[in-house]
Amino acid sequence: MNTNLKLLAALIMGGALAACGGSSSDDGPNNSSSSASSTSSSSSSSDGVDCEANPFDPACIEEDPVTEIDITNEDIPLHETFAVTGEGNQVAQFYSTDYKELNTAGANEDYVDDHPSFYYPTCCFWETDEETGEPTGNLVPDIDVRQYVGIDADGNGYFAFSNARWSIGQLQPDIVSDEESEDNDAKSKTTNAPVGSSWGELDLSVPYRISFCLKDSGLAGAGTGGNLEVYVDNNSGGNQGHSIHGNQSLLMRTEAAALSAGNRVVIDVPGDVRLQDNNGDQVDLISTTAEVYGTENSFLQMRVSSGGYVVISDLMIEHQDNLVGDYTPCEADESLFTPPLPEGYAFPGLPLNEDFDDITKEQLIGDGEDIAGEFMAISSDLTIPFYKFNSTGRLAITETGELHISNNRFTMGFAGVENTAEGDTEVAGDIDLSEPYTLTLEIAERPASDEGRLQVLVDNSTTGSANSIHGENSVLLGTTWGLLGTGTLEINVPGDVLLNNEPVLDENGDPVTIDTHVGTATSFLQIWCPSDCGADIESEGFGVKFDSIMLDNQDDGGDPNAIWTADAYVLAGGTTDAEGTVDAETENSVTITATGGKSDSSSDLNMFFAGQQIEMSDFAYTARIASVSGADVGVGNSYRFGIMAIADLTAAGSLANVAPWAAAGFYANSDPVELIGTRSNMKENGERTRSNIPELEVGHYVRIEIFDDAEGKRVRRCVSPDGVTWTAVNSTNDFSATAETDSWYYGVWAAPGENNVTMEVDNISVEAYETDCESLNPA
C-alpha cells in the first residue's frame, strides 16, 4: 500500500482525475433547493475591535450569519459503495468531482468552490506549504496509512482511515472564507463560528439513520487507541461543541479497537447507536441519541482520532420512515489495511530521570501525530510506550513542566501483557529491579483532600493489591495525603520512606519502612492517584503534580573518597554496554581501563566516564593524554576515547536529547592500527558533529574551551605538543549548550568497542575562561 500518489493541481482547483464511472448515489439529485438570508458580520470597527481582521469577534456580530447559497439536496437514501476503479490506493479519485460532485455545484452556476466534490477531506490529506499554509498539490507522504480507498478480493469497495476525517455533502460556506478560517480551508474547523445555519446537501431534519459495514478496526499508534466518531454539521477536529447543535453534534464516539468487525454500525437519530449482525440482531449497544440533530441542509463528518483505524464499506444514509430493509452482508477482512505502529527509542536502563520540562504528553505516552522516535519505548518492543496511563482520569503535562495525575493509574515499564497474579513466577516489565532501588518523586502539588490516597506499586498494573507475583507486598506505599506533603518523596526498597529527609508516618504515627526487597529483573512500577485523590477536572487543587520522577539502584557502597567518580553511562542507544575501572588517580591525573560502548552519529552514546563536577559557565579544560595502550583493533570512528566536558550524565534515550557535550581524543582505524585524532560535540539541532584532528598525537595536550560570545555558547578545541605552544583545531557556536548551561562534568571517557583500552591522562586543570588558546602562545 505504498503507492506514490500525486494529487494534481487541477483536483485542488475543482478539476478531475481520471474518470471512474457513475455516481456513488443510487439516484440523481432531486433538485430541491432552500435558501435563507440574514446580515453577515460587520466590516467596520465596533467597540475598539478591528472587525475586518476579527469578523467573528462578538462585538462585530450583528446577527448570526446564515448561508444564502441556493442548495440542491442529495437524494436520500444515499448509498455509497466506494466503487473506485484501478489498483492500489484511489483515495484521490474518491475525493474528486469525477467520482461524485456536489449537486449544488452542478445546478448553481453562481456557487463558488475550488473543490466541489461531494466527499471532502477535512484533515490530513493534502501536503501544505510551510510558509503560506496553502496546499502544494501533493498528497501527504504517509497517505497510505492515513486514508486508503480500494477494492477487496471480491470486487467490493472499502475505505480505511486512521488519524483522519472527511465530510459528506459539505458545501463551501459563504459566511466563512478560506482566509478567515484556521487552516486556510473554510470546510475545516469552521463550524465553531457564530452561525445560524448549516451548509450541506443532506436533509437531516427528520429522523434518520447512518449505517455502514465495519470490516476491520484496531490500533494504529503506540498510544491508547483512537476513537471512531461521527458528527452532524461539525467539521472540527474532535470538538463536539463546535456546531450549531452544540455537544449534540457528536452522534457517536467509541474506541475503534473495541469494536467487533464483521458487524454493521447503525446510528439512529433519534434512537440507539449500536452494532448489529447480519441477521439484524443487536451485538452491542454503544449509546443513544435523544432527538433529531440536523437541518434541511446538513452534512456529516466521519473521524478516527490518532491511535486507531477503521475499515468501512457499504455506507447508507436513510430516513427512518423509508428504510431499505435488508443490507449487504458484512464480512470482516483483516487483510485490507495494516497501518504500521510507530516506534520509539528503547528504554536504556537505570538510572531513570524524567523531569517533564521538555516533553509533551504525546511524547511521554507515545500517542499522537509524528511521534515516531519521540517517545521512550519498551526495549524489547519499540511500539510499546514505556509510560502508560491505565484509566479514564486526567494525565497532562502542565505548562510549567509538571506531570499532573488525577483519578488515574500511571505505569513505567509495563509491557501491557495480562496482569500477573499471586502464585505466578514471572512478570513482563522492562526495568531491572533485581537489586535494591530507590524511587524518588518530586511532589510539586498535592491534592486538596487529606483523605485522598497515593499508592505506589511494583509488578501490579491493577487496583487490587494482591494482583502481583509479590501478593500484598506489591504495594510499596499506600497512604493518605493527610500524612504526606510536597517536596522530595524517597521510597527505598528495601529501607525507609522519607519526605524531605524525614520519615513518613503511618496512621499510627510509626515510620513507614519496606522491610524486604520487592522486584525482579523484568519489573514495572505503577503510581495510582484514585478518584479520592482528585476528580477528572483541570482546576487547581485536584490530583497530584510531580516535578520529576527518578529511579536508580541504591548506592552500591563504592569508595566515597574517590577523586574521579566513575561509571558506565548509557546516554543514548545502548547497543553495546561499556565497562571500565579507574586504575590510578590523583587530583590532576587519572588512568582508566575500558571496553565496550559506542559513539556514533545517529543513535548511540554509551561510554565509561570518570570525572568531576564544576559549577562554571565559561571555562577551559586542559589535559595531556599521556599514554594509550590496548587499541589493537581498527574498529573505526564510532568507537572513541579521550577527554570530555558534558553538562549532564542522565540517560536521555535518543541522541538528540543528550545533554550538551564536547570531546577530543582518538579512535583506532585501519590495519595495521593507527590512532586518529578526533573531536566531536552536540549541535543545536540535536545532531552530533565530528571531524579529525591530524595534529593530535599521544603525548600531546588537549584544551576544550567553552564560553559565551556574541553568537551564543561557543566550543573550541586546541592542541599542543608541549603545553606551551597552542594551535586551535576547531571553533564553533553550533553547539547545543546555551548561556544558561553553567554546570558541567569534566573528565576522561572511553567507548572503545571490542578494544580494551588503558589511557593515562595527566596535567589536568580547569580554569575560568579568559582568553583563547592561541593568545597563550609565547610572544
Side-chain angles (χ1 to χ4, degrees), residues 79-296:
H79 185 199
E80 176 53 61
T81 62
F82 306 101
V84 294
T85 58
E87 297 181 357
N89 191 353
Q90 300 298 325
V91 65
Q93 179 190 142
F94 176 70
Y95 287 136
S96 74
T97 54
D98 274 359
Y99 184 80
K100 184 168 177 61
E101 185 181 36
L102 285 165
N103 301 291
T104 303
N108 182 355
E109 62 181 14
D110 295 325
Y111 172 68
V112 178
D113 190 341
D114 288 340
H115 188 62
S117 62
F118 189 78
Y119 300 108
Y120 186 78
T122 49
C123 175
C124 315
F125 179 73
W126 287 313
E127 197 174 51
T128 56
D129 186 276
E130 292 183 359
E131 295 183 0
T132 67
E134 297 292 332
T136 63
N138 297 329
L139 299 177
V140 292
D142 62 345
I143 188 66
D144 283 4
V145 299
R146 303 285 285 275
Q147 301 185 64
Y148 198 101
V149 180
I151 302 296
D152 65 18
D154 296 324
N156 300 313
Y158 66 90
F159 189 2
F161 53 110
S162 168
N163 192 14
R165 49 193 172 89
W166 52 286
S167 63
I168 303 170
Q170 182 186 190
L171 294 157
Q172 176 83 10
D174 56 347
I175 56 178
V176 184
S177 69
D178 286 338
E179 291 73 22
E180 292 168 334
S181 64
E182 182 177 339
D183 290 340
N184 286 321
D185 183 1
K187 290 186 177 182
S188 177
K189 297 183 182 179
T190 53
T191 44
N192 60 331
V195 298
S197 66
S198 184
W199 49 82
E201 294 188 344
L202 302 176
D203 182 358
L204 302 181
S205 61
V206 297
Y208 59 95
R209 171 180 291 183
I210 306 163
S211 68
F212 49 87
C213 168
L214 181 73
K215 298 184 76 65
D216 192 15
S217 64
L219 295 175
T224 56
N227 294 317
L228 170 60
E229 301 168 0
V230 180
Y231 297 87
V232 59
D233 299 326
N234 185 331
N235 61 24
S236 75
N239 297 297
Q240 64 194 66
H242 287 187
S243 169
I244 60 174
H245 310 299
N247 290 340
Q248 284 72 36
S249 72
L250 178 64
L251 304 178
M252 172 185 178
R253 174 181 283 160
T254 192
E255 187 177 349
L259 293 169
S260 178
N263 294 299
R264 193 168 189 85
V265 176
V266 179
I267 305 170
D268 278 335
V269 187
D272 293 336
V273 180
R274 62 194 184 277
L275 282 181
Q276 70 179 38
D277 61 21
N278 290 323
N279 294 322
D281 296 327
Q282 180 173 297
V283 174
D284 187 23
L285 178 64
I286 298 171
S287 62
T288 60
T289 57
E291 56 185 271
V292 174
Y293 307 113
T295 74
E296 293 181 356

Side-chain angles (χ1 to χ4, degrees), residues 305-425:
S305 56
S306 62
Y309 77 93
V310 300
V311 182
I312 70 172
S313 65
D314 198 50
L315 170 67
M316 186 76 73
I317 301 170
E318 314 166 72
H319 290 151
Q320 290 186 24
D321 62 1
N322 185 31
L323 297 175
V324 299
D326 295 332
Y327 300 103
T328 303
C330 182
E331 296 183 3
D333 190 339
E334 297 180 355
S335 68
L336 301 175
F337 188 70
T338 308
L341 296 175
E343 294 187 350
Y345 59 86
F347 168 57
L350 299 180
L352 172 68
N353 187 351
E354 197 70 71
D355 62 14
F356 311 112
D357 284 336
D358 299 309
I359 191 171
T360 65
K361 174 184 174 181
E362 290 72 23
Q363 291 170 327
L364 182 73
I365 62 173
D367 186 20
E369 297 181 31
D370 303 323
I371 56 166
E374 296 291 325
F375 64 95
M376 188 159 68
I378 299 296
S379 60
S380 59
D381 187 342
L382 297 184
T383 67
I384 301 177
F386 183 83
Y387 298 109
K388 290 177 176 289
F389 66 100
N390 293 298
S391 66
T392 58
R394 175 168 172 75
L395 180 83
I397 305 293
T398 68
E399 293 182 355
T400 53
E402 299 153 340
L403 177 68
H404 185 186
I405 304 176
S406 62
N407 191 19
N408 215 321
R409 292 178 287 122
F410 178 74
T411 58
M412 298 175 284
F414 178 50
V417 297
E418 291 295 325
N419 297 319
T420 51
E422 189 172 10
D424 289 347
T425 58

Side-chain angles (χ1 to χ4, degrees), residues 26 58 196 202 222 238 336 448 542 572 665 686 703 728:
D26 287 341
L202 302 176
L336 301 175
F542 289 86
R703 179 179 169 100

